[in-house]
């Protein structure tokens, strides 16, 4: 067993990030259940991911990444059973990712929402007409997210968290 303080250090802000995404998913499900030709989701992205609290949560998470990685390393050295557990869990994970790599996934997903060649094409791929309010709101979200992600990236002192290629 590892002590609760170490668990809290490793998974710092993860429950908060999970809560953000659960609320966002519930909002998207509610919209899907009452979908019509005027429905939009861009504002849901903006309302969720442009909040100061969300940016602060992700920033705190990123700022803790090196401490989390150190805690994992130290605990693996002190508790061989923990190291074996992590190795077995990584082998069973469909992407074969270690805990270190899984912990950075929330930030990678946040970055993916606004970055990348395809992000501004999402409205056209989904058939949202150019003038539709959902299209405009989504582009506003992408712009807002890019600013937020730049802030998070500037606080990211953990360049060792690069997603490995799947084995």
């Amino acid at each position: 067993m590892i002590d609760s303080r170490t668990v809290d250090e490793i998974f710092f802000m993860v429950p908060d990030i999970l809560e953000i995404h659960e609320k966002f998913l519930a909002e998207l499900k509610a919209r899907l259940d009452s979908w019509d030709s005027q429905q939009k989701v861009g504002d849901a992205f903006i309302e969720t991911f442009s909040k100061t609290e969300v940016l602060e949560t992700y920033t705190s998470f990123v700022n803790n990444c090196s401490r989390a990685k150190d805690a994992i390393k130290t605990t693996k050295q002190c508790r061989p059973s923990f190291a074996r557990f992590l190795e077995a869990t990584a082998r069973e994970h469909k992407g074969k990712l270690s805990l270190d790599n899984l912990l950075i996934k929330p930030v990678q997903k946040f970055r993916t929402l606004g970055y990348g060649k395809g992000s501004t094409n999402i409205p056209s791929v989904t058939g949202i007409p150019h003038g539709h309010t959902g299209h405009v709101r989504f582009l506003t979200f992408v712009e807002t997210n890019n600013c937020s992600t730049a802030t998070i990236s500037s606080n990211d002192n953990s360049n060792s968290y690069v997603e490995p290629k799947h084995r």
Side-chain angles (χ1 to χ4, degrees):
M1 273 301 198
I2 59 175
D3 63 86
S4 62
R5 191 178 58 113
T6 303
V7 171
D8 289 344
E9 189 171 13
I10 292 171
F11 295 103
F12 181 72
M13 302 307 291
V14 171
D16 299 73
I17 291 172
L18 177 61
E19 183 179 341
I20 290 165
H21 287 269
E22 285 175 338
K23 287 179 181 177
F24 178 62
L25 179 60
E27 178 63 26
L28 291 179
K29 284 181 177 178
R31 289 170 187 233
L32 182 61
D33 290 343
S34 62
W35 194 262
D36 64 29
S37 63
Q38 295 300 308
Q39 190 60 272
K40 55 190 186 264
V41 295
D43 60 324
F45 278 94
I46 293 168
E47 289 167 13
T48 299
F49 294 104
S50 63
K51 291 178 182 173
T52 303
E53 305 84 43
V54 172
L55 179 59
E56 289 171 352
T57 299
Y58 273 89
T59 301
S60 295
F61 177 82
V62 168
N63 289 340
N64 186 68
C65 280
S66 61
R67 279 194 304 269
K69 186 176 180 181
D70 289 345
I72 293 167
K73 182 179 178 182
T74 301
T75 306
K76 283 169 52 176
Q77 291 170 346
C78 295
R79 306 245 188 240
S81 60
F82 181 65
R84 287 190 300 273
F85 169 76
L86 291 181
E87 288 170 13
T89 304
R91 276 193 306 272
E92 292 171 10
H93 181 265
K94 69 177 182 175
K96 308 292 186 213
L97 298 177
S98 67
L99 179 57
D100 293 18
N101 291 310
L102 287 171
L103 281 175
I104 201 61
K105 292 296 257 180
V107 174
Q108 290 171 335
K109 295 298 182 190
F110 190 84
R111 288 176 177 163
T112 302
L113 287 172
Y115 278 147
K117 294 178 183 177
S119 62
T120 55
N121 291 331
I122 289 174
S124 60
V125 171
T126 58
I128 300 172
H130 184 69
H132 188 277
T133 58
H135 182 263
V136 174
R137 290 207 180 246
F138 184 80
L139 293 178
T140 302
F141 163 74
V142 169
E143 183 178 319
T144 302
N145 189 13
N146 285 342
C147 292
S148 299
T149 304
T151 301
I152 290 170
S153 295
S154 71
N155 290 315
D156 186 356
N157 57 7
S158 176
N159 293 327
S160 61
Y161 283 99
V162 176
E163 185 170 346
K165 296 200 184 301
H166 297 293
R167 295 179 218 164

